[in-house]
Amino acid sequence: MKGQLITLEGIDGSGKGTVAQYIASRLRETMPERKLVLTAEPTTGQAGRMLREELARPGGEDGEPSTAMRMQELFLFMADHAYHLSETVIPALNSGAIVLSDRYADSTAAYQGVTLRGIVPDPVCWIQNISRPWNVLPDMTILLVLDPLAALKRLRSRPGRDKFERQEFLQHVDGNFRRMAALEPERFVQIDAAQDAEKVGNAAMDAILRLLERC
Ligand code: TYD
């Protein structure tokens, strides 16, 4: 594939949306000749819409979710990822574009790696193994690292919270992301997301420009 795939990851409230917009405008400025595709998971496809509806329900409303519900959620995220790959990511990469995705398969490993604890052994690895044969690995994954307490503080000022925005849950997700990044240091670039937005954006941009110069 001729293009480059860059993904942005981090817990809720880590600032991915702001950083994605910042990177997009800087890339358009510095590389006007390159096609840029900005995309996200969950997508707006069928599975993505079902997931967003489910995610908008506050956590704990119906008690602890059953194993069936947790598995259903995992495989909906996987179906949405497969849709994202075939409808957007692979065609864009084949056309030579820079693809910037706000969340990607690593979110599934990190988040559903928490919801499946106690159901399968080593859930993060289990989830990664299921998607490895058909996934497209990003050229670079930017992980915005932020303490879950600070992230929740930011989220409190936003309307419409989703069910995963609870401290204990986000602490486990944060741990999963950090372990995943430590295991693949050549792909992950970790950025301290407690800094002001411009510094975070510039650090991400520096890493991306280094990657694009190599390609
Ligand atoms: P998102 O729309 O990125 O929310 P935010 O902009 O607040 O980060 O994602 C919605 C929620 O879905 C978020 O809590 C993370 C969760 N999620 C998963 O649990 N698994 C996944 O595979 C993805 C892509 C998202």
Side-chain angles (χ1 to χ4, degrees):
M1 279 180 262
K2 296 182 290 180
Q4 289 84 30
L5 173 60
I6 299 162
T7 60
L8 264 172
E9 298 284 4
I11 58 172
D12 300 72
S14 58
K16 292 175 292 78
T18 312
V19 172
Q21 292 305 326
Y22 182 83
I23 295 172
S25 74
R26 288 275 314 274
L27 279 175
R28 287 192 186 109
E29 219 172 80
T30 47
M31 299 190 160
E33 72 289 357
R34 291 290 309 265
K35 181 177 161 198
L36 175 67
V37 174
L38 253 185
T39 182
E41 290 187 22
T43 71
T44 51
Q46 196 181 18
R49 288 198 307 273
M50 287 167 78
L51 282 161
R52 284 199 188 280
E53 217 169 276
E54 182 54 36
L55 287 165
R57 289 151 56 98
E61 205 179 45
D62 313 315
E64 276 298 295
S66 62
T67 299
M69 291 298 294
R70 291 166 198 244
M71 284 293 180
Q72 175 174 303
E73 184 181 81
L74 167 72
F75 286 106
L76 272 176
F77 275 116
M78 291 229 170
D80 190 44
H81 183 60
Y83 171 85
H84 191 209
L85 286 176
S86 64
E87 293 300 307
T88 306
V89 177
I90 294 174
L93 289 175
N94 282 336
S95 77
I98 299 170
V99 181
L100 180 62
S101 185
D102 179 350
R103 295 198 186 280
Y104 194 71
D106 293 309
S107 274
T108 313
Y111 280 78
Q112 280 59 57
V114 180
T115 61
L116 293 194
R117 273 158 33 119
I119 294 174
V120 294
D122 197 349
V124 171
C125 193
W126 187 78
I127 293 166
Q128 286 174 325
N129 285 339
I130 299 174
S131 61
R132 188 165 291 121
W134 51 276
N135 192 19
V136 174
L137 207 63
D139 295 287
M140 176 181 280
T141 297
I142 294 171
L143 176 62
L144 300 184
V145 183
L146 183 65
D147 175 66
L149 263 182
L152 281 170
K153 219 166 147 190
R154 287 182 183 176
L155 289 168
R156 266 183 215 121
S157 58
R158 276 195 215 164
R161 311 274 304 278
D162 82 40
K163 72 170 185 175
F164 290 142
E165 295 171 2
R166 288 173 289 121
Q167 187 187 346
E168 199 200 332
F169 185 85
L170 288 185
Q171 235 135 19
H172 289 302
V173 176
D174 176 55
N176 283 345
F177 271 134
R178 288 179 201 246
R179 275 188 293 277
M180 287 158 60
L183 287 171
E184 282 185 80
E186 61 298 330
R187 172 163 73 93
F188 278 88
V189 173
Q190 299 189 57
I191 297 178
D192 173 11
Q195 309 174 84
D196 70 60
E198 202 175 325
K199 275 200 179 144
V200 177
N202 285 335
M205 203 48 208
D206 288 348
I208 291 171
L209 290 177
R210 279 198 301 276
L211 168 81
L212 296 177
E213 275 161 17
R214 281 205 311 266
C215 296

